[in-house]
Amino acid sequence: MNYYPDPILKLINSLSTLPGIGKKTAERLALHILHAPDTQAATLAADIIELKTSVKLCRVCFALSDKNICKICSDPSRDQSLVCVVENPTDMAAIEKSNAFTGTYHILGGTLSPIDGICPNDIRIDELFKRTDQGKIKEVILATRTNVEGEATASYILEKLKHKKIKITRIASGIPMGGDLQYIDQLTMQKAMEKRYGF
Amino acid sequence: MNYYPDPILKLINSLSTLPGIGKKTAERLALHILHAPDTQAATLAADIIELKTSVKLCRVCFALSDKNICKICSDPSRDQSLVCVVENPTDMAAIEKSNAFTGTYHILGGTLSPIDGICPNDIRIDELFKRTDQGKIKEVILATRTNVEGEATASYILEKLKHKKIKITRIASGIPMGGDLQYIDQLTMQKAMEKRYGF
């Protein structure tokens, strides 16, 4: 691609580091940006910088947020006594897309995995227990994935919480075992929410 | 997608304005950028800005360049007496990729199209004539596209240059290499028959 001047080559290289963007797509995007209005390119660049500087984690549920408390935790129309425990923000997004849940979340930031050396202290399990200790939470829905680590994490949390006066439920099966929450269709997700069962 | 904080939504929107990037791909890219190292995101943003500020047109051939004279025009190993006339930088890139050409280019920046109100003054035809008037160019290859506008532009340039002592050629039309005859359109087939050559 040496027939392009260096600034184009540099942008092509930067764009190719993104997932699913090969050299050819990167070339097309770079040429599009080159011919796009200056403001569009400036906005794109500014948005990338803003994303990296202003997105933090909600202090309550650890979801991605640009404020100290995220939209969902500060929304009075959401049921604050109902907490859905998920592994990461992508899984939370998948549940939100289904419109099947009106409570709040707790994002663990991973799953227990002794084989990878990930212990309860490495993910936000203690923070969940602190939330349940405050006495406002009536139900905890365990929506970790249905693979080994997700099930183990759900079992661990159940074990620690079952002596408390909190209803603990697991997102219903219907989700294929080993399946990734972000690729589940909405109907399955709604069904899984609706059919959650007690231990 | 309201479950994402505003900076993520803004970047998703900006990314979706790019060609071939839908909302879902934009979401995946934005989350990738969010979790990528700060330097990678900063480089991407800086490269977008640099592209818009430092890419200009070569003063000789009007190719994209970060200098006043582009790489090809300033390369002594390229045949400066051979000029290939193309519509835009993408077409030039396609020819460069083939490694089939060792001369220089002239980028018109469009084609004649009276129906769209594009006259010879709107594209860089006069600049081509100025180059040929300098007497260093021995051959002009017309490599505009083979559609109505491209053919009309080629004819116009031929008409204006044919009285000069310059060899004028048109890039060949015919069956693409490896092409299946049954899928070739009639016009291409007629052209391929008409322009058949002896061995």
Side-chain angles (χ1 to χ4, degrees):
Chain A
M1 294 202 183
N2 275 334
Y3 35 89
Y4 286 124
D6 289 340
I8 299 185
L9 292 178
K10 275 166 70 183
L11 182 57
I12 291 175
N13 283 334
S14 287
L15 288 169
S16 337
T17 62
L18 298 175
I21 309 274
K23 285 275 174 196
K24 219 168 166 81
T25 307
E27 181 186 349
R28 192 161 48 88
L29 293 178
L31 290 176
H32 172 89
I33 292 170
L34 182 66
H35 295 111
D38 280 0
T39 49
Q40 191 185 335
T43 305
L44 178 58
D47 288 347
I48 291 170
I49 297 295
E50 194 193 339
L51 177 80
K52 294 298 282 187
T53 50
S54 68
V55 173
K56 41 195 169 185
L57 297 182
C58 170
R59 286 189 190 169
V60 177
C61 72
F62 304 94
L64 301 170
S65 173
D66 53 343
K67 303 204 175 57
N68 286 333
I69 309 292
C70 75
K71 286 178 191 171
I72 291 175
C73 286
S74 56
D75 182 350
S77 71
R78 309 281 304 215
D79 185 350
Q80 305 285 335
S81 70
L82 186 58
V83 172
C84 179
V85 177
V86 292
E87 293 178 23
N88 55 44
T90 326
D91 289 354
M92 172 187 148
I95 295 175
E96 280 298 292
K97 273 178 202 164
S98 75
N99 289 319
F101 184 65
T102 55
T104 60
Y105 292 89
H106 187 87
I107 286 97
L108 292 174
T111 40
L112 296 179
S113 176
I115 212 165
D116 300 317
I118 301 176
C119 312
N121 286 338
D122 297 323
I123 61 176
R124 299 184 203 103
I125 284 189
D126 276 341
E127 287 84 347
L128 173 65
F129 297 157
K130 272 178 204 152
R131 288 179 72 183
T132 55
D133 285 345
Q134 290 167 355
K136 287 176 189 163
I137 293 169
K138 291 180 187 156
E139 179 177 350
V140 169
I141 303 170
L142 301 172
T144 51
R145 296 184 195 176
T146 51
N147 56 14
V148 177
E149 290 85 5
E151 293 287 359
T153 309
S155 301
Y156 179 86
I157 296 173
L158 172 67
E159 202 59 36
K160 292 278 186 177
L161 287 183
K162 69 179 177 187
H163 64 278
K164 297 187 183 178
K165 279 182 181 168
I166 293 175
K167 186 175 174 190
I168 302 171
T169 52
R170 178 91 172 105
I171 193 168
S173 47
I175 312 287
M177 292 300 282
D180 202 333
L181 285 203
Q182 64 178 312
Y183 301 122
I184 300 300
D185 66 282
Q186 292 189 1
L187 268 180
T188 309
M189 186 63 79
Q190 282 166 4
K191 201 73 182 171
M193 271 291 167
E194 182 195 318
K195 292 289 181 191
R196 66 185 187 270
Y197 51 85
F199 290 100
Chain B
M1 293 201 183
N2 276 333
Y3 34 88
Y4 285 125
D6 288 341
I8 299 184
L9 292 178
K10 276 166 71 181
L11 182 57
I12 290 175
N13 283 334
S14 287
L15 288 169
S16 334
T17 62
L18 298 175
I21 310 274
K23 285 275 174 194
K24 215 165 167 82
T25 307
E27 181 186 348
R28 193 160 47 90
L29 294 178
L31 290 177
H32 172 90
I33 292 170
L34 181 67
H35 295 112
D38 280 0
T39 49
Q40 192 186 334
T43 305
L44 178 58
D47 289 347
I48 291 170
I49 297 295
E50 194 192 339
L51 176 82
K52 293 299 282 186
T53 50
S54 68
V55 173
K56 41 196 170 184
L57 297 182
C58 170
R59 286 188 189 170
V60 177
C61 72
F62 303 93
L64 301 170
S65 174
D66 53 342
K67 304 205 175 55
N68 285 333
I69 309 292
C70 75
K71 286 177 190 171
I72 291 174
C73 286
S74 55
D75 182 350
S77 71
R78 309 280 304 215
D79 185 351
Q80 306 284 335
S81 71
L82 185 58
V83 172
C84 179
V85 178
V86 292
E87 293 178 23
N88 55 44
T90 325
D91 289 355
M92 172 187 150
I95 295 174
E96 279 298 291
K97 273 178 204 166
S98 74
N99 288 319
F101 183 65
T102 55
T104 60
Y105 292 89
H106 187 86
I107 286 94
L108 292 175
T111 40
L112 297 179
S113 177
I115 211 164
D116 300 316
I118 301 177
C119 313
N121 286 340
D122 297 322
I123 61 175
R124 300 183 202 103
I125 284 189
D126 276 341
E127 287 84 347
L128 173 65
F129 297 158
K130 273 177 205 152
R131 287 179 72 181
T132 56
D133 285 344
Q134 289 167 355
K136 286 177 187 161
I137 292 169
K138 291 178 186 156
E139 180 176 350
V140 169
I141 303 171
L142 300 172
T144 50
R145 298 182 195 175
T146 52
N147 55 14
V148 177
E149 291 85 6
E151 293 287 358
T153 309
S155 302
Y156 180 87
I157 296 173
L158 172 67
E159 202 59 35
K160 292 279 187 176
L161 286 183
K162 68 180 178 187
H163 64 278
K164 295 187 184 178
K165 281 183 179 167
I166 293 175
K167 186 176 175 189
I168 303 170
T169 52
R170 178 93 171 102
I171 193 167
S173 306
I175 314 289
M177 294 301 287
D180 203 331
L181 287 201
Q182 63 178 312
Y183 301 122
I184 301 298
D185 62 281
Q186 290 185 5
L187 267 179
T188 307
M189 187 62 83
Q190 283 164 8
K191 199 79 178 175
M193 276 295 171
E194 182 193 323
K195 295 290 179 190
R196 67 187 182 273
Y197 50 86
F199 293 99

